[in-house]
């Protein structure tokens, strides 16, 4: 089964390498895109340790300013990769954000092979605190920090938003520490002001809500939780961004392909309806011919993302 999971991950990488950055697969893009920036920093450790999975790349827009609103963009990998920050979404999402005046932070995070949930959201929370703690050095305007991500990165971006302001809680009978103790800025808040969900799995109790890839005996979420839905359903609820939706959730924009055969589109549709019902500011675009990243990154959709974030800033 481990061989099957590795094969699935390799398939995603291969698809990305052969796709065109401007409108094809949203995840892995080869060759690496050269971004127009005023400053860049690579392999910055946000946790204060020596681990490569706790590093990030920082990009500032070409136009020089005293400070920039920030988007933390998270790669997709079915939570299997701990080192994909430099090869994901650079020519699509990251470029669009930079071109419109946002600083972009692309972090690595621990994979499901390094540590089990909630280590991954603990790492993203650490990145958010790092942005606040190092704002002066990197010209971050911390009055606006958003998360964004594709696939499992969309899951983490969405969960960072729906759990924003919640440090510890109990999901059914399952206690979860969402905040964690990663990094040197534990006194800084890990709240965010908005989120962009690109094809994310957001309800891990309902991954069979539509037609999708059959994962076999152990799905990526099973590996991440080291469990089974039938055995520990509260663990799967704790992993689900949808579980935490409330009137306090910051604005969330959703993009999902209706022909996504990896994360079924009903995931995005359920999320959208829950957000609306809670009174959260939200928008959703469901692309009729869109796959899992493929065909999703048209200029129109990238502009929708940018305009939504700019509106959230106001």
């Amino acid at each position: 089964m481990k061989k099957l999971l590795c094969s699935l991950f390799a398939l995603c990488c291969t698809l990305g390498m052969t796709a065109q950055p401007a409108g094809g697969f949203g995840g892995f893009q080869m060759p690496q895109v050269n971004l127009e920036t005023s400053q860049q920093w690579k392999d910055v450790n946000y946790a204060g340790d020596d681990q490569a999975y706790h590093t990030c790349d920082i990009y500032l827009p070409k136009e020089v300013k005293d400070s920039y609103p920030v988007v933390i963009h998270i790669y997709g990998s079915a939570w299997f990769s701990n080192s994909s920050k430099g090869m994901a979404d650079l020519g699509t999402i990251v470029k669009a954000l930079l071109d419109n005046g946002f600083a972009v932070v692309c972090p690595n995070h621990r994979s499901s092979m390094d540590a089990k949930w909630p280590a991954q959201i603990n790492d993203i929370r650490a990145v958010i605190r790092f942005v606040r703690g190092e704002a002066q050095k990197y010209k971050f305007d911390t009055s606006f920090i958003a998360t964004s991500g594709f696939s499992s990165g969309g899951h983490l971006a969405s969960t960072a938003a729906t759990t924003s302001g919640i440090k510890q809680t109990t999901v059914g009978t399952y206690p979860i520490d969402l905040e964690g103790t990663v990094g040197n800025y534990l006194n800084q808040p890990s709240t965010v002001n908005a989120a962009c969900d690109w094809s994310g799995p957001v309800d891990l109790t309902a991954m069979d809500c539509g037609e999708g890839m059959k994962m076999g005996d152990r799905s990526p979420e099973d590996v991440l939780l080291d469990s089974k839905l039938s055995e520990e359903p509260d663990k799967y609820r704790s992993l689900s961004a949808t579980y935490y939706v409330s009137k306090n959730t910051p604005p969330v924009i959703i993009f999902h392909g209706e022909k996504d055969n990896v994360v079924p589109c009903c995931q995005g549709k359920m999320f959208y309806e829950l957000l609306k019902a809670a009174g959260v500011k939200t928008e959703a675009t469901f692309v009729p011919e869109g796959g899992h990243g493929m065909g999703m990154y048209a200029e129109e959709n990238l502009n929708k993302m940018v305009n939504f974030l700019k509106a959230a800033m106001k």
Side-chain angles (χ1 to χ4, degrees), residues 5-6 161 265 271 281 285 311:
L5 294 172
C6 292
C265 189
F271 194 22
K281 181 180 180 182
T285 297

Side-chain angles (χ1 to χ4, degrees), residues 21-308:
F25 189 76
F28 293 85
Q29 296 162 358
M30 291 294 207
Q32 185 169 335
V33 177
N34 291 320
L35 298 170
E36 291 189 341
T37 62
S38 58
Q39 287 182 280
Q40 297 183 19
W41 295 266
K42 297 295 181 72
D43 299 321
V44 177
N45 192 287
Y46 61 81
D49 58 22
D50 60 354
Q51 299 298 322
Y53 54 56
H54 280 154
T55 57
C56 64
D57 295 341
I58 300 168
Y59 305 94
L60 300 187
K62 185 176 180 179
E63 182 180 356
V64 177
K65 292 186 176 180
D66 291 337
S67 63
Y68 307 88
V70 183
V71 179
I72 297 164
H73 183 70
I74 309 160
Y75 57 82
S77 70
W79 307 285
F80 287 136
S81 175
N82 63 10
S83 57
S84 297
K85 62 179 175 53
M87 50 194 290
D89 306 316
L90 297 184
T92 52
I93 296 167
V94 173
K95 182 180 185 300
L97 291 167
L98 286 170
D99 289 349
N100 284 277
F102 293 93
V104 183
V105 178
C106 295
N108 284 333
H109 60 76
R110 282 172 288 178
S111 73
S112 57
M113 302 301 179
D114 298 310
K116 301 307 177 185
W117 178 258
Q120 294 69 30
I121 194 64
N122 292 167
D123 287 351
I124 300 307
R125 291 283 188 98
V127 177
I128 298 165
R129 295 193 302 266
F130 171 85
V131 165
R132 290 192 166 97
E134 295 284 354
Q136 186 172 2
K137 179 177 180 179
Y138 295 108
K139 297 185 178 182
F140 294 143
D141 176 359
T142 59
S143 68
F144 186 82
I145 300 173
T147 48
S148 170
F150 166 70
S151 195
S152 61
H155 161 265
L156 291 172
S158 298
T159 306
T162 61
T163 65
S164 187
I166 305 171
K167 292 189 176 183
Q168 292 87 27
T169 192
T170 300
V171 177
T173 60
Y174 181 68
I176 183 169
D177 179 4
L178 294 158
E179 190 71 16
T181 57
V182 177
N184 297 324
Y185 294 104
L186 299 179
N187 60 324
Q188 295 288 346
S190 60
T191 53
V192 295
N193 302 102
C196 305
D197 169 23
W198 293 88
S199 311
V202 289
D203 184 347
L204 281 304
T205 71
M207 288 300 291
D208 59 353
C209 64
E211 292 296 323
M213 184 182 295
K214 304 304 179 186
M215 296 296 179
D217 294 335
R218 293 264 289 171
S219 68
E221 57 269 26
D222 291 348
V223 176
L224 182 63
L225 294 170
D226 193 23
S227 187
K228 290 281 191 182
L229 177 60
S230 60
E231 297 171 2
E232 295 184 283
D234 287 340
K235 263 193 177 183
Y236 288 75
R237 293 186 183 99
S238 82
L239 181 60
S240 301
T242 52
Y243 177 84
Y244 304 97
V245 170
S246 76
K247 64 180 181 180
N248 299 318
T249 298
V252 179
I253 188 168
I254 299 164
F255 298 90
H256 216 121
E258 293 194 350
K259 292 189 176 179
D260 190 329
N261 68 344
V262 179
V263 178
C265 189
C266 42
Q267 288 278 307
K269 291 181 176 179
M270 287 190 295
F271 194 22
Y272 178 57
E273 294 301 326
L274 283 170
L275 291 166
K276 283 199 303 179
V280 177
K281 181 180 180 182
T282 185
E283 292 179 13
T285 297
F286 302 113
V287 180
E289 297 300 316
H292 193 58
M294 297 178 189
M296 293 296 296
Y297 297 90
E299 185 176 359
E300 178 185 3
N301 289 343
L302 296 173
N303 287 338
K304 285 181 181 179
M305 171 190 68
V306 167
N307 292 336
F308 184 86

